[in-house]
Amino acid sequence: MKLGCHVSIAKGLTKAAEQAQALGADTFQIFTKNPRGLKPKKINVEDAIKGVAFCKENEITVICHTPYITNLSTPKADLQEVTIRSIVEDLNIAEAYGAIGAVVHCGKHVGEGEEYGLKRMIETLDIILEQYDGPTQLLLENTAGQGTEMGLDPQTLMNIRNQTNYPEKIGFCFDTCHAFAAGQWNEETFEEFITLAEETGYLEHIKVIHFNDSKAPFKSRKDRHEKIGKGEIGSKALQKFLHCEKLKDIPFILETPVEKEEEYKEEILYLKELVSAGKGE
Ligand SMILES: [Zn+2]
Ligand SMILES: [Zn+2]
């Protein structure tokens, strides 16, 4: 089972991969570009080639995350255009980094209503995916349902995927904190959720798990990450993901709040303890 965390790409892919390895991770996530901006980015090709080779040699799985300020459902033509251009570029950067997928948040309908928002999101996805044919998948992330965010549950996410012209280019990123805050699962309903995820076909398309505890309570619809075992979900409930046979081939990425990346070393160790503890119980 692959366990890792989000790391900085500031010093390039090779350094990011080395840092991940030093933290005890065999998977890691990086931003394609500044998460708060959409400025086009020129990547260092030499570094990318070196980094990809390093990851291959060390069997490290790379995940990319796209900036937050795009909106796949925006009614505004100019923001839609920027979103499209930016995400097509993110897919190409992710491919150059050897990433299996580029995570993107589901759209916000910003008051236009959910029906409009979903339709617009599918439209935008089609324009993006028409322009990208590489091996990296676009990974739609479930949301906590903050504000006008859409895409909280497996059915909606599968409907979006199925209604695009390119379902094969779309996978999912499942965030444990978002799903908990959206009221999708908790300790009591974990098995029910997995069954639903399987029955809807959602589970087989999950390519990465964002493994986070939640500062905000169940069904609060607030996106506030917390360290594993320190939040409202708790380690006993989160451990169910680590022990679930059906999820064992999916990389788990921590996006928990840290002051320094070095703190992830301890948290990854803790995850490894949770994996082995209670096995075969
Ligand atoms: Zn996430
Ligand atoms: Zn989040």
Side-chain angles (χ1 to χ4, degrees):
M1 141 166 263
K2 294 208 171 199
L3 304 171
C5 58
H6 187 96
V7 296
S8 167
I9 185 67
K11 291 182 185 143
L13 182 68
T14 312
K15 281 270 184 289
E18 286 169 356
Q19 167 74 337
Q21 195 182 47
L23 297 172
D26 42 20
T27 181
F28 67 94
Q29 175 176 276
I30 43 178
F31 282 119
T32 45
K33 49 190 181 248
N34 182 343
R36 314 269 165 219
L38 295 169
K39 230 170 63 199
K41 179 171 164 166
K42 260 222 163 342
I43 68 159
N44 180 335
V45 178
E46 209 178 306
D47 162 64
I49 291 169
K50 212 174 132 199
V52 170
F54 179 88
C55 290
K56 205 167 172 193
E57 200 184 311
N58 293 285
E59 290 178 23
I60 295 172
T61 303
V62 183
I63 310 289
C64 277
H65 200 301
T66 65
Y68 296 119
I69 61 174
T70 57
N71 181 4
L72 290 167
S73 300
T74 180
K76 292 186 188 149
D78 53 348
L79 182 56
Q80 190 197 35
E81 203 189 305
V82 173
T83 296
I84 292 164
R85 197 182 341 118
S86 179
I87 296 177
V88 171
E89 184 191 58
D90 292 331
L91 282 164
N92 284 302
I93 292 173
E95 182 181 334
Y97 286 161
I100 59 164
V103 176
V104 64
H105 288 198
C106 279
K108 298 175 274 285
H109 66 71
V110 294
E112 299 288 322
E114 200 162 321
E115 197 186 327
Y116 171 89
L118 291 173
K119 201 176 133 258
R120 186 71 163 172
M121 182 169 163
I122 290 155
E123 199 181 290
T124 310
L125 283 170
D126 277 340
I127 304 171
I128 291 167
L129 296 172
E130 193 180 18
Q131 298 174 52
Y132 179 74
D133 261 325
T136 301
Q137 274 191 318
L138 191 60
L139 305 179
L140 296 181
E141 180 167 6
N142 63 307
T143 65
Q146 256 185 184
T148 65
E149 279 177 350
M150 301 177 301
L152 286 69
D153 60 282
Q155 293 99 323
T156 306
L157 290 156
M158 277 304 285
N159 285 340
I160 295 166
R161 182 178 185 272
N162 290 336
Q163 284 176 55
T164 65
N165 296 327
Y166 309 97
E168 72 287 352
K169 298 184 187 181
I170 297 174
F172 298 115
C173 164
F174 176 76
D175 190 306
T176 53
C177 163
H178 298 178
F180 176 80
Q184 296 297 306
W185 80 283
N186 60 12
E187 195 176 337
E188 288 71 44
T189 60
F190 173 81
E191 278 81 18
E192 248 171 82
F193 177 76
I194 292 295
T195 304
L196 175 76
E198 236 185 335
E199 282 172 3
T200 52
Y202 174 69
L203 193 135
E204 65 174 296
H205 297 295
I206 299 177
K207 298 299 162 65
V208 58
I209 292 180
H210 280 171
F211 201 54
N212 304 310
D213 207 327
S214 173
K215 272 197 177 80
F218 181 61
K219 270 188 180 167
S220 60
R221 295 180 75 123
K222 283 199 181 98
D223 181 4
R224 305 272 185 281
H225 299 192
E226 181 55 288
K227 287 193 169 171
I228 303 300
K230 307 262 194 245
E232 295 282 325
I233 306 178
S235 54
K236 238 181 107 199
L238 284 162
Q239 197 176 30
K240 290 177 183 278
F241 280 95
L242 296 168
H243 287 171
C244 182
E245 250 329 276
K246 289 163 188 162
L247 307 174
K248 69 173 182 3
D249 297 324
I250 306 172
F252 280 54
I253 301 277
L254 292 165
E255 291 179 316
T256 51
V258 289
E259 269 171 41
K260 282 202 205 116
E261 275 174 7
E262 281 64 36
E263 290 172 44
Y264 279 130
K265 194 169 184 172
E266 200 182 316
E267 204 172 3
I268 290 168
L269 264 178
Y270 178 54
L271 293 194
K272 289 179 182 169
E273 277 168 32
L274 287 179
V275 171
S276 40
K279 265 235 167 119
E281 255 180 21

